[in-house]
Amino acid sequence: MSDSLDLGEPPQPKGAAYRVLARKYRPQTFRELIGQDAMVTTLANAIKRDRLAHAFLLTGVRGVGKTSTARLIAKALNCIGPDGQGGPTIDPCGVCEPCRAIAEGRHIDVIEMDAASHTGIDDIREIIEASRYAAVSARYKIYIIDEVHMLSKAAFNGLLKTLEEPPGHVKFLFATTEVNKVPVTVLSRCQRFDLKRIPADLLAGHFAEVSRAEGVEAEPDALALVARAAEGSARDGLSILDQAIAHAGIEGGAVTADAVRDMLGLSDRGAIRTLFGKLLEGDAAGALANLRQQYDLGVDPTAVLKTLLETVHGATLVKIGADMAGTGQAAEERAALTDWATALSFPALHRLWQLLLKGHDEVARAALPIETAEMALLRVIHASSLPDPGELARQIASGGVPAPATGQGAAPAAPAASAPTAEAVLPATLRDVHTLLDASDRMRLAVDVWHRLRVVSFAFPEIILSNLTPLPADLPKELAAELRVLTGKTWKVTLSPTAGDPTLAEQSAAAEEATRAAVLATPMVAAALAAFPGAELKDYKLAGGFQA
């Protein structure tokens, strides 16, 4: 019997390491760079006319192709063509040594630096020193600095002089997701390109090509979900697609919309359409049951509110005539949006948006998310049963709805001013005195009468005023003299240490407040304030027949 151990079959050589889709399908030419046509056109014209800037700044959200674009620019500037005789071109050949070396990240004259881990002045000093020397084998020595906003203030300052007057053989390519953190002194020395979010329809088409290249069957609705979840980022979308393909390998091979929805924890669009319909019908029990069903399946209540907001937004876009064909939505969803857009008015859509948006914010920070979501949906249903403010306004204007009477605590309306007539020229109230003075251009005295005087007694020929609030010493005498001139009668104005009536200004303010309170109490305004939490009454115009 042998004492040797049986180790089984010898280990097999491992295959090449798997490359994730986000790396495998990085664009290798400008034609493969999707969604950035304006930038590609500008670069192509600059290369054709030999008007290349010495520094480029590429900005945009994550995953739109900033670093890939920087490498493509490096290839375009250093490509020598298959025959070795070519010059800078917007269509690098991809087969010459510079193109292959740059694509593989091994070209000695194309230096990439991550500013997130090389933030100091010493790192920039190395670049400055090295930039003085000509390129070893390439046409241009190119520095690609990713996340450039992470550089320190000293590093930025150290780079400025070289960035403004670099040697002719040097090009700088900067990439950042936070351009607002890059100093203006750096921005002014660069040619800036803002890379846009990639539209969902372009992403869905790109993901379809990737799926075919990978030999994976994928439903169009599944790819549309991936594209929408990517939020304009090709890299994020490819990462999600990678995960979906792995998930499909377990489930049976095809990437389905249901599998993607479950993987991402998204609300089922059919369930959301059902829930939205129940909200519009005012079916509280059905709406809460639908919400609980989704919650039991693991859907976050915040995601439900978010999808309802997207539904309202989509219906509003359809109502204004927007083309929804390229949004990655299923045909049945577009049909439902069209129906809702036809049935709902703009005020109703705006009210739904405000109510759901408030509910979403409350759920996002609530200690009891599902309970808060239920209360938010009930508020939407309750608001739908309130009277329409516009209809109430028309009814009030036509007298169909009685206006509220003045409350017991409201201040009485100020008496209307009555100008003296030929038969009765004597003023009967202090307001009549103010009207006389105002009409006679006695503005200073009219202002004093409005804001200062408190009447104790008013009966011709004597006016008694309260002096509990100090008055100018000559005011009584001046007022009596003006009244004699205006009325032709002799008046006596005296003071008394007795509390008088409120000033005319105070009476007017009280009347205004009473009217405002009555306006706030009308069904029209009350409905509007209930429908839009946090709204305020800024101004109003009273319809005929309104009484406060």
Side-chain angles (χ1 to χ4, degrees):
M1 182 176 178
S2 174
D3 293 334
S4 62
L5 298 176
D6 183 6
L7 300 179
E9 296 183 3
Q12 300 297 317
K14 295 183 178 179
Y18 174 70
R19 296 179 67 198
V20 296
L21 298 182
R23 292 187 59 195
K24 185 176 180 180
Y25 291 96
R26 244 181 175 162
Q28 299 301 314
T29 66
F30 282 104
R31 288 189 300 273
E32 297 176 4
L33 188 67
I34 59 175
Q36 312 300 340
D37 296 341
M39 180 197 67
V40 173
T41 300
T42 302
L43 286 173
N45 291 336
I47 291 174
K48 289 178 182 177
R49 300 177 183 179
D50 195 21
R51 299 180 64 88
L52 289 168
H54 59 272
F56 298 89
L57 177 69
L58 307 171
T59 179
V61 298
R62 81 267 176 238
V64 293
K66 298 183 296 297
T67 306
S68 296
T69 299
R71 293 174 181 170
L72 290 177
I73 293 175
K75 289 169 64 175
L77 298 184
N78 285 325
C79 177
I80 59 176
D83 58 358
Q85 303 300 316
T89 174
I90 196 64
D91 293 313
C93 66
V95 298
C96 66
E97 177 57 24
C99 284
R100 288 189 289 109
I102 293 172
E104 296 168 7
R106 58 179 175 81
H107 200 295
I108 193 173
D109 292 319
V110 178
I111 302 96
E112 292 192 31
M113 187 184 88
D114 177 21
S117 55
H118 299 80
T119 62
I121 182 62
D122 292 338
D123 301 300
I124 295 301
R125 190 176 290 117
E126 292 181 9
I127 292 178
I128 295 172
E129 292 296 328
S131 66
R132 299 177 181 176
Y133 303 101
V136 176
S137 61
R139 186 177 296 112
Y140 293 103
K141 179 178 283 189
I142 296 177
Y143 291 94
I144 300 175
I145 303 181
D146 200 9
E147 300 300 337
V148 69
H149 66 274
M150 299 290 287
L151 290 178
S152 66
K153 182 177 180 181
F156 273 125
N157 291 336
L159 186 63
L160 287 180
K161 188 62 178 177
T162 303
L163 188 60
E164 184 172 13
E165 299 177 359
H169 59 271
V170 173
K171 301 290 183 184
F172 289 99
L173 302 176
F174 301 140
T176 178
T177 54
E178 300 184 49
V179 69
N180 58 300
K181 294 184 178 180
V182 179
V184 177
T185 50
V186 173
L187 293 176
S188 64
R189 291 167 167 82
C190 300
Q191 190 171 100
R192 173 174 168 176
F193 290 103
D194 290 88
L195 277 67
K196 302 182 296 183
R197 290 182 185 269
I198 305 172
D201 56 337
L202 289 182
L203 282 177
H206 179 57
F207 298 154
E209 294 178 2
V210 170
S211 298
R212 283 193 293 270
E214 292 291 306
V216 176
E217 182 181 351
E219 295 179 355
D221 287 351
L223 297 179
L225 285 173
V226 173
R228 293 178 65 182
E231 296 183 343
S233 169
R235 185 178 62 221
D236 288 6
L238 288 172
S239 297
I240 297 172
L241 181 60
D242 219 342
Q243 183 179 354
I245 292 174
H247 185 74
I250 299 174
E251 296 296 327
V255 178
T256 64
D258 289 340
V260 172
R261 191 176 292 112
D262 291 341
M263 182 187 75
L264 297 178
L266 297 176
S267 299
D268 179 72
R269 304 297 296 192
I272 287 295
R273 291 195 293 272
T274 302
L275 174 58
F276 191 70
K278 292 185 180 301
L279 291 178
L280 297 181
E281 295 168 3
D283 183 359
L288 295 189
N290 183 285
L291 175 63
R292 279 287 178 175
Q293 183 180 15
Q294 295 192 62
Y295 181 71
D296 292 340
L297 292 174
V299 179
D300 185 1
T302 308
V304 175
L305 271 296
K306 178 176 181 291
T307 313
L308 286 172
L309 282 167
E310 292 174 349
T311 302
V312 175
H313 180 253
T316 307
L317 292 182
V318 171
K319 193 167 186 67
I320 64 174
D323 183 11
M324 305 297 288
T327 58
Q329 294 173 329
E332 58 269 20
E333 183 164 359
R334 292 198 297 271
L337 291 177
T338 301
D339 292 340
W340 289 325
T342 304
L344 295 171
S345 64
F346 279 115
L349 288 167
H350 295 323
R351 185 192 304 185
L352 281 169
W353 175 265
Q354 292 294 334
L355 290 168
L356 290 170
L357 184 62
K358 181 176 176 60
H360 178 274
D361 293 344
E362 291 174 349
V363 173
R365 60 176 184 269
L368 301 171
I370 182 62
E371 289 80 1
T372 306
E374 289 177 340
M375 296 302 293
L377 295 187
L378 289 175
R379 183 168 59 215
V380 172
I381 293 173
H382 172 70
S384 67
S385 65
L386 291 175
D388 179 72
E391 181 61 28
L392 277 175
R394 287 188 290 271
Q395 293 182 22
I396 291 174
S398 63
V401 177
T406 304
Q408 294 180 353
S418 55
T421 63
E423 294 78 16
V425 295
L426 298 181
T429 65
L430 188 64
R431 185 175 292 270
D432 294 340
V433 173
H434 176 268
T435 301
L436 278 175
L437 295 172
D438 191 38
S440 304
D441 292 332
R442 270 71 166 183
M443 296 304 298
R444 184 187 60 80
L445 190 55
V447 169
D448 284 339
V449 169
W450 184 264
H451 289 283
R452 290 175 176 264
L453 302 189
R454 300 177 183 276
V455 175
V456 177
S457 173
F458 195 115
F460 177 79
E462 184 177 19
I463 302 175
I464 304 176
L465 304 174
S466 172
N467 65 354
L468 292 182
T469 301
L471 296 174
D474 58 345
L475 181 56
K477 183 178 180 179
E478 183 180 3
L479 179 58
E482 288 294 343
L483 286 174
R484 181 175 181 177
V485 172
L486 293 173
T487 65
K489 301 290 184 180
T490 301
W491 290 78
K492 181 180 180 182
V493 180
T494 59
L495 300 178
S496 169
T498 306
D501 296 337
T503 65
L504 294 177
E506 292 169 345
Q507 293 178 34
S508 179
E512 174 66 23
E513 185 61 31
T515 302
R516 181 180 179 85
V519 170
L520 288 171
T522 58
M524 173 186 68
V525 178
L529 294 178
F532 302 100
E536 297 179 2
L537 178 64
K538 292 295 186 182
D539 197 7
Y540 56 87
K541 183 177 181 181
L542 301 180
F546 184 90
Q547 294 181 353

